[in-house]
Amino acid sequence: MRTIVALSTPPMNGAIHIIRLSGDEAFQIINRVTTSKIVRKGYLIQKANLLENAAIIDHVLINTFVKPMSFTGEDVIEINCHGGIFLAKKIIQLLISKGCVLAQPGEFLQRAYMNRKINIHEAEAINNLINSTNDNAIQLANNGLSMKTTHQLNEMREKLFKLIGQIEVNIDYPEFDDVPQITIKKFNELNNSLINTCSKIINDSIRIIPLREGINVAIVGKPNVGKSSLLNAFVNDNRAIVSNIPGTTRDVISEKINIDGVTINLLDTAGYRETKQMIEQLGVSRTIKAIDDVDLVLLVIDGSKTLTREDKDIMTLVKNKPHIVVINKSDLINKVTISGVKVCAKMSKIENLTRQIIKFVSKITFNVNQSTILQSSRSIGLMQNVLEELKKVKFLIHNKQPIDLAIEYLHTAMANILNITGDYKDYNFIDELFRKFCIGK
């Protein structure tokens, strides 16, 4: 496999750049461009000059990692050079001319997976860590790197293997008296244990999605109640146009903010009212869709005016959604009798509302360090497939069908478990079967 090279730091001028090589010829290639020999020894920092046509182009520090004790499982070299982007590109071109090939996106991570340094679940966790936008996202990603979930998946695999193995051995090798027979009761207990584990993993993993990607919060209300002013108060900027003309906002405006370590995806929607203008009607329809899609609705009411039919219509729309009633314009005489959080968006007095949002977020948080968390929608979908197959087995047992019929469902469940970690392509059930049960010894 060719030795790859790529810039590991952002492509911009800075203090330093890190250029990474990985492959069997990493040390040979680096020694073609240095004034002093780089020793093939792991976890060593060596100082060197880089040469191009006998001319020094940079003074660098070179970190060395010897396979298999590296991130990719191959020989890895990291060049710490000065931080000019032109210089970094020049060094990369020099290394390519000496035998490297430019790495494809994600290729270092792919080689780590191919060399069994990480599995797919851990690769997804690394990607989530890189793309973290809040403290919770960092914690969730590190949960995936802690091996807790990998250990849980391996335990599930072992239980599935035991179910499959007991059935297949008893079917295919009935002459072996030393192979224990599995009872329907024991089989059912093991299958139910797997169902419970699956259900908890799925529920916990779905529950944390808003914590990783952010809580989606829609600001809704009739026109001219201060929705855009509220958005601007949250972001401390004139992001949304504010005017006394009803219907100014005709599309959904989005902003990301961070409250108490949680990313909040704020959506400022068009004012809800009956209108004959086609463009404004489109905005209103998008408002209704936003209410259905978000995690939390901030229903803004103009506290200086009595409730109107439109206010009541919107209250009906959001009554079955998690929502907070926001009484805006608290600096004016209050004419609203309903309860809600009082704010003055125009003067950025929204502390009471911020506390209520934090309270809402606290209800959906939990100790992720004590939970098994899947790192992607792909993995959650695969685990849902596992659960469906196990439920089929449960139904089969409940209806007193022959236990042999469970084999197909269990193999499908096993394939989905292995696909979560990326091990399916290397899975050989027969080899494991003989090794576990020692058939024919």
Side-chain angles (χ1 to χ4, degrees):
M1 191 174 290
R2 300 289 299 274
T3 297
I4 56 176
V5 62
L7 181 66
S8 293
T9 43
M12 62 182 68
N13 289 334
I16 64 168
H17 275 304
I18 298 176
I19 298 169
R20 179 184 287 174
L21 295 79
S22 180
D24 291 339
E25 295 184 353
F27 282 91
Q28 294 95 310
I29 291 172
I30 195 65
N31 278 307
R32 293 169 190 160
V33 298
T34 55
T35 53
S36 55
K37 181 177 177 58
I38 302 302
V39 180
R40 187 174 181 271
K41 185 176 180 180
Y43 309 116
L44 190 64
I45 300 176
Q46 304 173 60
K47 187 177 180 180
N49 295 326
L50 296 185
L51 297 176
E52 182 181 39
N53 299 325
I56 295 176
I57 59 173
D58 198 13
H59 310 279
V60 300
L61 292 177
I62 295 177
N63 300 341
T64 56
F65 307 85
V66 175
K67 70 176 184 181
M69 305 303 293
S70 71
F71 174 70
T72 63
E74 304 172 333
D75 285 344
V76 171
I77 289 175
E78 292 183 348
I79 303 170
N80 291 259
C81 65
H82 288 93
I85 186 61
F86 177 80
L87 175 63
K89 289 181 177 179
K90 185 177 182 66
I91 294 171
I92 290 173
Q93 288 301 320
L94 175 63
L95 294 168
I96 290 174
S97 71
K98 299 301 180 181
C100 283
V101 294
L102 191 64
Q104 297 299 310
E107 190 169 358
F108 286 91
L109 197 59
Q110 182 180 17
R111 291 196 177 193
Y113 163 68
M114 291 170 61
N115 291 318
R116 295 186 176 277
K117 304 298 291 186
I118 59 171
N119 59 34
I120 293 296
H121 169 77
E122 292 159 346
E124 290 173 340
I126 291 172
N127 184 60
N128 288 338
L129 184 61
I130 292 170
N131 292 294
S132 297
T133 60
N134 57 64
D135 294 339
N136 285 296
I138 291 173
Q139 190 178 7
L140 293 166
N142 279 301
N143 173 282
L145 295 174
S146 69
M147 299 299 292
K148 177 179 176 58
T149 300
T150 297
H151 290 323
Q152 180 74 78
L153 293 173
N154 286 339
E155 287 179 11
M156 292 182 67
R157 168 178 169 166
E158 287 300 312
K159 288 181 179 179
L160 276 170
F161 180 85
K162 184 174 181 179
L163 291 176
I164 296 170
Q166 289 283 3
I167 294 173
E168 294 207 345
V169 168
N170 290 326
I171 292 173
D172 297 336
Y173 302 93
E175 69 275 15
F176 286 90
D177 297 330
D178 59 337
V179 177
Q181 298 287 327
I182 188 169
T183 65
I184 295 296
K185 179 181 178 182
K186 184 67 177 176
F187 189 96
N188 197 37
E189 287 176 356
L190 200 54
N191 189 65
N192 284 337
S193 172
L194 281 166
I195 287 175
N196 292 335
T197 301
C198 266
S199 297
K200 187 175 188 312
I201 292 174
I202 292 167
N203 292 336
D204 285 351
S205 299
I206 291 175
R207 188 178 171 188
I208 58 87
I209 288 175
L211 300 180
R212 178 192 297 126
E213 300 177 359
I215 308 295
N216 294 321
V217 178
I219 304 173
V220 304
K222 69 181 183 183
N224 210 33
V225 294
K227 298 185 300 300
S228 295
S229 294
L230 183 59
L231 175 70
N232 290 337
F234 274 118
V235 301
N236 296 314
D237 189 18
N238 294 324
R239 173 67 175 87
I241 299 172
V242 178
S243 79
N244 293 323
I245 303 172
T248 302
T249 301
R250 297 190 176 184
D251 204 346
V252 175
I253 298 173
S254 63
E255 276 291 337
K256 286 183 181 290
I257 62 172
N258 193 288
I259 297 179
D260 203 34
V262 176
T263 298
I264 305 293
N265 303 314
L266 278 175
L267 306 175
D268 178 21
T269 64
Y272 180 88
R273 67 171 180 175
E274 292 184 4
T275 177
K276 294 182 179 180
Q277 295 184 30
M278 184 176 298
I279 294 177
E280 197 169 353
Q281 284 178 342
L282 181 60
V284 171
S285 66
R286 289 177 178 175
T287 295
I288 296 172
K289 184 178 186 305
I291 291 172
D292 291 334
D293 293 343
V294 297
D295 304 298
L296 176 66
V297 175
L298 303 182
L299 171 55
V300 184
I301 303 290
D302 185 345
S304 68
K305 298 178 181 179
T306 57
L307 287 179
T308 66
R309 181 173 58 82
E310 289 170 331
D311 289 319
K312 294 176 182 178
D313 287 344
I314 304 170
M315 293 173 69
T316 301
L317 281 175
V318 305
K319 68 177 182 179
N320 295 322
K321 289 284 296 187
H323 67 276
I324 299 172
V325 177
V326 183
I327 311 297
N328 192 24
K329 305 183 183 181
S330 62
D331 55 320
L332 303 176
I333 297 175
N334 186 16
K335 295 183 179 180
V336 173
T337 57
I338 63 171
S339 61
V341 180
K342 293 183 179 181
V343 302
C344 181
K346 193 173 182 179
M347 299 173 65
S348 296
K349 293 182 178 180
I350 58 173
E351 296 82 3
N352 292 338
L353 178 56
T354 300
R355 284 193 288 270
Q356 287 299 313
I357 294 174
I358 292 172
K359 187 176 180 180
F360 169 79
V361 171
S362 68
K363 293 179 181 178
I364 62 173
T365 58
F366 59 102
N367 190 346
V368 298
N369 293 324
Q370 302 300 320
S371 304
T372 300
I373 305 295
L374 299 176
Q375 294 290 319
S376 70
S377 297
R378 178 198 75 90
S379 295
I380 294 172
L382 289 170
M383 187 61 74
Q384 288 171 330
N385 293 342
V386 174
L387 181 59
E388 288 304 311
E389 297 303 315
L390 295 175
K391 285 181 176 179
K392 292 176 184 177
V393 174
K394 184 181 177 105
F395 180 80
L396 182 150
I397 295 172
H398 178 75
N399 287 278
K400 304 186 185 313
Q401 298 295 312
I403 199 69
D404 305 2
L405 300 178
I407 283 294
E408 180 181 351
Y409 303 141
L410 294 172
H411 271 299
T412 302
M414 175 74 87
N416 280 280
I417 288 285
L418 294 171
N419 273 323
I420 292 174
T421 58
D423 293 324
Y424 185 71
K425 62 182 177 56
D426 296 319
Y427 179 64
N428 190 319
F429 181 79
I430 298 301
D431 287 347
E432 287 207 30
L433 181 67
F434 276 77
R435 183 166 64 250
K436 294 269 186 179
F437 290 92
C438 300
I439 301 300
K441 63 179 180 180

